[in-house]
Amino acid sequence: MKNRLKVLRAERSWSQQDLADRLEVSRQSVNAIETGKYDPSLPLAFRIAETFDMSIEEIFTKD
Amino acid sequence: MKNRLKVLRAERSWSQQDLADRLEVSRQSVNAIETGKYDPSLPLAFRIAETFDMSIEEIFTKD
DNA sequence: TCACTATGTAAAGGGTGTTTGACAATGATT
DNA sequence: AATCATTGTCAAACACCCTTTACATAGTGA
Protein backbone atom coordinates (compact mmCIF):
# COMPACT_ATOMS: atom_id res chain seq x y z
CA MET A 1 0.00 0.00 0.00
CA LYS A 2 1.17 3.49 -0.84
CA ASN A 3 -0.05 6.67 0.77
CA ARG A 4 0.04 10.43 0.28
CA LEU A 5 0.54 11.32 3.91
CA LYS A 6 3.81 13.11 3.53
CA VAL A 7 2.47 15.37 0.77
CA LEU A 8 -0.82 16.10 2.50
CA ARG A 9 0.99 16.92 5.71
CA ALA A 10 3.46 19.19 3.90
CA GLU A 11 0.61 21.02 2.18
CA ARG A 12 -0.63 21.95 5.62
CA SER A 13 2.83 22.66 7.03
CA TRP A 14 2.32 20.18 9.82
CA SER A 15 5.23 18.41 11.46
CA GLN A 16 4.99 14.67 12.04
CA GLN A 17 4.38 15.54 15.67
CA ASP A 18 1.52 17.90 14.75
CA LEU A 19 -0.16 15.14 12.77
CA ALA A 20 0.52 12.57 15.47
CA ASP A 21 -1.21 14.83 18.01
CA ARG A 22 -4.27 15.23 15.79
CA LEU A 23 -4.43 11.47 15.21
CA GLU A 24 -3.64 10.67 18.84
CA VAL A 25 -0.82 8.31 17.93
CA SER A 26 2.91 8.51 18.51
CA ARG A 27 5.21 10.47 16.19
CA GLN A 28 6.98 7.20 15.41
CA SER A 29 3.74 5.72 14.10
CA VAL A 30 3.25 8.64 11.72
CA ASN A 31 6.86 8.33 10.59
CA ALA A 32 6.60 4.57 10.09
CA ILE A 33 3.44 4.91 8.01
CA GLU A 34 4.94 7.72 5.90
CA THR A 35 8.14 5.82 5.25
CA GLY A 36 6.18 2.71 4.30
CA LYS A 37 7.28 0.51 7.16
CA TYR A 38 3.72 -0.61 7.76
CA ASP A 39 0.10 0.21 7.06
CA PRO A 40 -2.15 1.77 9.67
CA SER A 41 -4.96 -0.19 11.27
CA LEU A 42 -8.39 0.38 9.75
CA PRO A 43 -9.56 2.62 12.62
CA LEU A 44 -6.44 4.75 12.27
CA ALA A 45 -6.94 4.94 8.50
CA PHE A 46 -10.41 6.34 9.20
CA ARG A 47 -8.99 8.97 11.56
CA ILE A 48 -6.38 9.92 8.97
CA ALA A 49 -9.07 10.32 6.31
CA GLU A 50 -11.15 12.45 8.67
CA THR A 51 -8.17 14.59 9.56
CA PHE A 52 -7.54 15.41 5.91
CA ASP A 53 -11.24 15.49 5.03
CA MET A 54 -10.76 12.92 2.31
CA SER A 55 -11.76 9.33 1.65
CA ILE A 56 -9.45 6.50 2.59
CA GLU A 57 -9.17 5.62 -1.09
CA GLU A 58 -7.96 9.13 -1.89
CA ILE A 59 -5.08 8.77 0.57
CA PHE A 60 -4.15 5.09 0.38
CA THR A 61 -3.77 2.96 -2.74
CA LYS A 62 -2.83 -0.64 -3.33
CA ASP A 63 0.65 0.03 -4.74
CA MET B 1 -16.04 -0.17 13.90
CA LYS B 2 -19.21 -1.66 12.45
CA ASN B 3 -19.51 -3.30 9.06
CA ARG B 4 -22.18 -4.50 6.63
CA LEU B 5 -20.36 -7.66 5.59
CA LYS B 6 -23.05 -10.08 6.70
CA VAL B 7 -25.77 -8.25 4.79
CA LEU B 8 -23.70 -7.76 1.64
CA ARG B 9 -22.71 -11.40 1.68
CA ALA B 10 -26.30 -12.54 2.19
CA GLU B 11 -27.47 -10.34 -0.69
CA ARG B 12 -25.16 -12.34 -2.93
CA SER B 13 -26.00 -15.68 -1.29
CA TRP B 14 -22.36 -16.32 -0.50
CA SER B 15 -21.32 -18.51 2.40
CA GLN B 16 -18.55 -17.29 4.68
CA GLN B 17 -16.33 -19.79 2.90
CA ASP B 18 -17.24 -18.34 -0.50
CA LEU B 19 -16.30 -14.87 0.64
CA ALA B 20 -13.15 -16.12 2.34
CA ASP B 21 -12.06 -17.75 -0.92
CA ARG B 22 -12.63 -14.52 -2.86
CA LEU B 23 -10.69 -12.54 -0.26
CA GLU B 24 -8.02 -15.21 0.10
CA VAL B 25 -8.35 -15.38 3.87
CA SER B 26 -9.61 -18.10 6.18
CA ARG B 27 -13.29 -18.60 6.88
CA GLN B 28 -12.57 -17.84 10.53
CA SER B 29 -11.25 -14.44 9.59
CA VAL B 30 -14.46 -13.61 7.74
CA ASN B 31 -16.48 -14.86 10.66
CA ALA B 32 -14.45 -12.88 13.19
CA ILE B 33 -14.84 -9.68 11.20
CA GLU B 34 -18.57 -10.23 10.72
CA THR B 35 -19.15 -10.94 14.37
CA GLY B 36 -17.11 -7.89 15.37
CA LYS B 37 -14.25 -9.68 17.07
CA TYR B 38 -11.77 -7.53 15.23
CA ASP B 39 -11.33 -5.16 12.33
CA PRO B 40 -9.58 -6.22 9.14
CA SER B 41 -6.17 -4.86 8.22
CA LEU B 42 -6.22 -1.97 5.77
CA PRO B 43 -5.11 -4.13 2.82
CA LEU B 44 -7.88 -6.63 3.59
CA ALA B 45 -10.40 -3.79 3.89
CA PHE B 46 -9.38 -2.74 0.37
CA ARG B 47 -9.91 -6.27 -0.95
CA ILE B 48 -13.30 -6.43 0.74
CA ALA B 49 -14.33 -3.12 -0.84
CA GLU B 50 -13.14 -4.34 -4.25
CA THR B 51 -15.02 -7.60 -3.86
CA PHE B 52 -18.28 -5.79 -3.22
CA ASP B 53 -17.47 -2.99 -5.67
CA MET B 54 -17.99 -0.37 -2.99
CA SER B 55 -15.87 2.11 -1.07
CA ILE B 56 -14.43 1.18 2.29
CA GLU B 57 -16.55 3.92 3.85
CA GLU B 58 -19.71 2.35 2.44
CA ILE B 59 -18.95 -0.93 4.17
CA PHE B 60 -17.22 0.10 7.40
CA THR B 61 -18.23 2.86 9.79
CA LYS B 62 -16.83 4.13 13.03
CA ASP B 63 -19.56 2.73 15.29
C1' DT C 1 -31.62 -41.54 10.56
C1' DC C 2 -27.56 -40.16 8.09
C1' DA C 3 -24.87 -37.26 5.74
C1' DC C 4 -23.80 -32.65 4.46
C1' DT C 5 -23.50 -27.57 4.70
C1' DA C 6 -23.16 -23.41 7.23
C1' DT C 7 -22.02 -20.98 11.24
C1' DG C 8 -19.86 -19.90 15.82
C1' DT C 9 -16.17 -20.52 18.75
C1' DA C 10 -11.62 -21.86 20.98
C1' DA C 11 -6.51 -22.49 21.43
C1' DA C 12 -1.92 -21.86 19.89
C1' DG C 13 1.42 -19.64 17.01
C1' DG C 14 3.50 -16.30 13.52
C1' DG C 15 3.35 -11.75 11.79
C1' DT C 16 1.98 -6.88 12.09
C1' DG C 17 0.72 -2.34 14.43
C1' DT C 18 1.65 0.81 18.12
C1' DT C 19 3.91 2.32 22.15
C1' DT C 20 7.88 4.48 24.98
C1' DG C 21 12.54 5.82 25.33
C1' DA C 22 16.55 6.84 23.18
C1' DC C 23 20.11 8.38 19.84
C1' DA C 24 21.93 10.52 15.47
C1' DA C 25 21.77 13.74 11.48
C1' DT C 26 20.22 17.83 9.27
C1' DG C 27 18.87 22.66 8.88
C1' DA C 28 17.53 27.11 10.88
C1' DT C 29 18.27 30.64 14.41
C1' DT C 30 20.82 33.17 17.72
C1' DA D 1 29.51 27.74 18.59
C1' DA D 2 25.35 26.54 20.75
C1' DT D 3 20.54 25.66 20.67
C1' DC D 4 16.30 24.10 18.82
C1' DA D 5 12.95 21.71 15.73
C1' DT D 6 12.41 18.12 12.56
C1' DT D 7 13.05 13.71 10.80
C1' DG D 8 14.79 8.90 10.62
C1' DT D 9 15.76 4.92 13.05
C1' DC D 10 16.36 1.20 16.63
C1' DA D 11 14.99 -1.97 20.42
C1' DA D 12 11.86 -3.95 23.61
C1' DA D 13 7.32 -4.70 24.94
C1' DC D 14 2.41 -5.45 24.24
C1' DA D 15 -1.92 -5.85 21.68
C1' DC D 16 -4.10 -7.11 17.54
C1' DC D 17 -4.68 -9.61 12.85
C1' DC D 18 -4.76 -13.95 10.68
C1' DT D 19 -3.59 -18.72 10.36
C1' DT D 20 -4.51 -23.88 11.15
C1' DT D 21 -6.85 -27.41 13.57
C1' DA D 22 -10.58 -28.76 15.93
C1' DC D 23 -15.20 -29.25 18.01
C1' DA D 24 -20.27 -28.06 18.68
C1' DT D 25 -24.68 -26.61 17.02
C1' DA D 26 -28.48 -26.00 13.82
C1' DG D 27 -30.70 -26.68 9.39
C1' DT D 28 -31.41 -29.27 4.89
C1' DG D 29 -32.32 -33.08 2.14
C1' DA D 30 -31.85 -38.24 0.69
Side-chain angles (χ1 to χ4, degrees):
Chain A
M1 306 244 18
K2 288 184 178 175
N3 70 74
R4 308 207 303 124
L5 232 58
K6 198 162 190 164
V7 173
L8 295 173
R9 184 172 61 77
E11 283 174 0
R12 288 157 182 77
S13 299
W14 292 345
S15 68
Q16 291 183 345
Q17 184 64 64
D18 290 336
L19 178 54
D21 290 345
R22 288 171 187 268
L23 296 173
E24 296 183 307
V25 296
S26 68
R27 177 184 69 84
Q28 286 85 341
S29 287
V30 169
N31 183 78
I33 293 166
E34 281 194 1
T35 58
K37 287 197 182 163
Y38 51 71
D39 300 318
S41 67
L42 187 57
L44 179 50
F46 265 84
R47 275 183 277 154
I48 292 171
E50 275 179 3
T51 298
F52 290 112
D53 202 26
M54 300 172 75
S55 71
I56 291 179
E57 285 87 348
E58 284 171 326
I59 302 178
F60 298 90
T61 57
K62 297 183 63 179
D63 290 340
Chain B
M1 307 247 14
K2 287 183 179 175
N3 70 73
R4 310 205 303 123
L5 231 60
K6 198 162 189 164
V7 173
L8 295 172
R9 184 172 61 76
E11 283 173 0
R12 288 158 182 78
S13 300
W14 292 346
S15 68
Q16 291 182 345
Q17 185 65 63
D18 290 336
L19 178 54
D21 290 344
R22 289 171 186 267
L23 296 174
E24 296 183 305
V25 295
S26 69
R27 177 183 70 84
Q28 285 82 346
S29 287
V30 169
N31 183 77
I33 293 166
E34 281 193 1
T35 58
K37 287 196 182 163
Y38 52 71
D39 299 318
S41 66
L42 187 56
L44 180 50
F46 267 83
R47 289 200 306 261
I48 293 171
E50 276 179 3
T51 298
F52 290 112
D53 201 25
M54 301 173 74
S55 70
I56 292 179
E57 284 88 348
E58 285 171 328
I59 302 177
F60 298 90
T61 57
K62 298 183 60 178
D63 288 341

